[in-house]
Amino acid sequence: MRRAVIAGNWKMHKTQAETRAFFDRFRPLVAGAQHCEIVIAPPFTSLTAAVESSRGTAIAIGAQDVHWETQGAFTGEVSAGMLVEAGCRYVIIGHSERRQHFGETDEWVLRKTRAALAAGLVPIVCVGETLPQRETGQTEAVLERQFRLGLAALTVEEFSRIILAYEPVWAIGTGRTATPELAAEAHRFLREQAAEKFGRTASGALRILYGGSVKPENIGGLMAQPEIDGVLVGGASLEAESFAAIVNF
Ligand code: PEP
């Protein structure tokens, strides 16, 4: 049985004060939620506020990115060990906005994933096709390439500790959600990739989240798909009420 994960990616939103205010509202709304892991990924500067505000609850905190080196001359970067010390348990890796705007490659995704695992973090590794890629029938080729270059070099033990997020780029922040069936089809394809590389036991245990305009109105349909093990939520995770409604789907 795969435990559901409901994760919120705040992107470049919320100061420390706004983070504390969010948690004051959010905590009581999800106090009874035991059916899933709840993860919130604030910007680096609000991580400590989020960790303090979630202490004593079942809400875990994640970062939105990590560098693969442990330390060094990498201006602007943060290491996995630093995230662990700040109280993070998860880290998002390879988000499409990092791939699109910051030149993140599949090779970087692999390095970052390994570094996160070595430090004891749970990587939430994002893959997904753009609209032109979907419209020209390249979805499976893109997912296969991202999986092969970004993840296939992990050991089975390492792979057993990651979470995969299928995030079609055309559905992120656009209000255009993939239908539950379409998302499930991509998840099945990714699970097949995992089975070929890591075997049936590892692929059967792999949690694959869907991300792309998830809202309280569509979470029920998505989670009704046995292939969808949870969601990665951007915009709708910024309001305590809407994110709590998704958590309590
Ligand atoms: C995301 O940023 O991972 C995301 C899925 O965003 P949104 O829910 O806003 O589409």
Side-chain angles (χ1 to χ4, degrees):
M1 187 64 188
R2 300 187 291 260
R3 188 150 195 256
V5 179
I6 308 288
N9 170 18
W10 282 359
K11 313 191 185 195
M12 199 170 72
H13 292 285
K14 293 200 193 292
T15 62
Q16 298 191 43
E18 289 164 345
T19 298
R20 290 190 194 95
F22 172 93
F23 276 92
D24 287 346
R25 294 168 75 97
F26 185 64
R27 272 190 318 258
L29 299 175
V30 298
Q34 290 178 350
H35 57 289
C36 65
E37 285 165 38
I38 308 171
V39 182
I40 294 184
F44 288 133
T45 48
S46 293
L47 284 175
T48 306
V51 167
E52 284 165 3
S53 300
S54 60
R55 196 158 280 143
T57 75
I59 307 163
I61 303 305
Q64 299 172 18
D65 192 19
V66 64
H67 194 267
W68 56 81
E69 294 291 345
T70 52
Q71 60 182 359
F74 301 103
T75 302
E77 296 293 326
V78 171
S79 76
M82 292 169 183
L83 296 179
V84 170
E85 192 204 31
C88 288
R89 288 172 41 207
Y90 295 75
V91 60
I92 298 170
I93 295 177
H95 191 278
S96 66
E97 286 154 16
R98 297 225 51 91
R99 293 177 187 259
Q100 259 184 320
H101 306 309
F102 302 99
E104 180 127 344
T105 65
D106 294 317
E107 289 76 12
W108 290 13
V109 169
L110 177 61
R111 289 192 199 186
K112 291 179 178 195
T113 301
R114 281 186 165 141
L117 288 166
L121 292 167
V122 177
I124 301 176
V125 181
C126 302
V127 296
E129 80 287 0
T130 63
L131 188 58
Q133 288 168 336
R134 174 158 284 271
E135 287 178 342
T136 52
Q138 296 177 67
T139 299
E140 293 194 349
V142 170
L143 296 181
E144 188 274 333
R145 193 198 65 231
Q146 290 175 338
F147 187 90
R148 179 166 39 84
L149 298 178
L151 293 171
L154 297 178
T155 65
V156 177
E157 189 281 324
E158 286 172 331
F159 187 74
S160 72
R161 290 190 281 134
I162 74 153
I163 294 173
L164 197 55
Y166 169 60
E167 297 212 306
V169 180
W170 47 269
I172 296 180
T174 58
R176 186 177 164 188
T177 326
T179 61
E181 294 73 23
L182 190 144
E185 191 181 301
H187 285 213
R188 268 191 296 277
F189 177 78
L190 287 165
R191 201 175 296 287
E192 204 43 50
Q193 297 299 304
E196 280 172 25
K197 176 62 198 155
F198 297 102
R200 293 275 160 205
T201 306
S203 76
L206 172 68
R207 287 171 306 169
I208 308 181
L209 316 186
Y210 165 76
S213 297
V214 175
K215 297 188 174 43
E217 300 78 50
N218 56 30
I219 183 70
L222 290 162
M223 292 306 290
Q225 293 285 336
E227 262 302 332
I228 298 181
D229 304 314
V231 287
L232 180 54
V233 186
S237 71
L238 292 171
E239 293 297 328
E241 289 72 18
S242 65
F243 194 46
I246 292 172
V247 168
N248 298 319
F249 64 90

